[in-house]
């Protein structure tokens, strides 16, 4: 079972050289023009997510545990 954590977007949670740290939706690999609303800790590491990405992340990993 994977554990998913969800927080309001906080660039400090993401690596300084990451797209997420720069305010880009990392789930969509920077191909999304929406600003991230959420920071998720997934089994694959930290992801920043716009609204549509939140749906995809929760569909893949389940509901957040927090």
């Amino acid at each position: 079972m994977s554990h998913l954590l969800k927080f309001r977007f906080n660039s400090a949670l993401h690596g300084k050289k990451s797209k997420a740290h720069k305010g880009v939706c990392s789930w969509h690999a920077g191909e999304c023009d929406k600003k991230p609303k959420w920071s998720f800790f997934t089994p694959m590491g930290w992801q920043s997510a716009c609204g549509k990405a939140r749906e995809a992340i929760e569909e893949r990993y389940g509901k957040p545990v927090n």
Side-chain angles (χ1 to χ4, degrees):
M1 177 177 159
S2 346
H3 291 290
L4 181 68
L5 300 174
K6 179 172 97 174
F7 305 93
R8 290 232 176 253
F9 177 71
N10 180 346
S11 63
L13 296 173
H14 304 276
K16 292 188 188 242
K17 294 182 180 181
S18 70
K19 290 181 181 187
H21 187 78
K22 296 173 185 162
V24 173
C25 174
S26 64
W27 184 258
H28 289 127
E31 311 231 340
C32 171
D33 63 353
K34 305 278 186 204
K35 295 290 181 190
K37 292 183 178 183
W38 308 103
S39 291
F40 282 94
F41 186 72
T42 75
M44 301 301 290
W46 285 100
Q47 296 284 334
S48 58
C50 66
K52 284 191 174 188
R54 179 196 58 82
E55 294 171 14
I57 290 170
E58 289 181 359
E59 186 174 302
R60 178 175 288 182
Y61 298 113
K63 292 291 180 187
V65 296
N66 62 336

